[in-house]
Amino acid sequence: MTGSPSDTGTPTEGVRAGGFGPRPRKTLITLVSELPGQIAALIHAEIEAFKSEMAGKAKNIGLGIGLFVVAGVFAFLAVIVFVALAVIALALVLPLWLATLIVAVALLLIAAILVLIGVNRVKAGTRADPDGLAASIRRDADAIKGVGDYEH
């Protein structure tokens, strides 16, 4: 032994006065006992980072949706102006009441056609599908129970 600090064999060997330098070695039991706390701290930090990221994304999504709503309001107002323009243009060649009646009937026809198309699409979307997901789940349940026809 030379008497240098590295020869002492203590766990704090080589540690300087400022707290910098090699860390003292910990036993395996100490490391294993610290593991649950470190895992909990890591999970907590990950959850906080996720919350922070989602808050930023939600703020941007909310702003985007708000801008879409405002754009929709302006588009709706523009449609109203175009309807008024159609009435005024027809009023140049027809009496005002007749021009207004023609535009109103045209708008109602468009609305009726859109409603019929929408009803047809809803019926198509809610129609029972014999080979759909519900039937597939039913066949899987029957296969697990061992009843019905199924491939082995």
Side-chain angles (χ1 to χ4, degrees), residues 78 80 91:
I80 292 173

Side-chain angles (χ1 to χ4, degrees), residues 16-39:
R16 291 184 279 170
F20 298 107
R23 299 175 84 185
R25 293 187 177 191
K26 297 180 180 181
T27 65
L28 181 61
I29 294 172
T30 305
L31 291 173
V32 170
S33 67
E34 291 176 355
L35 190 60
Q38 289 179 352
I39 290 174

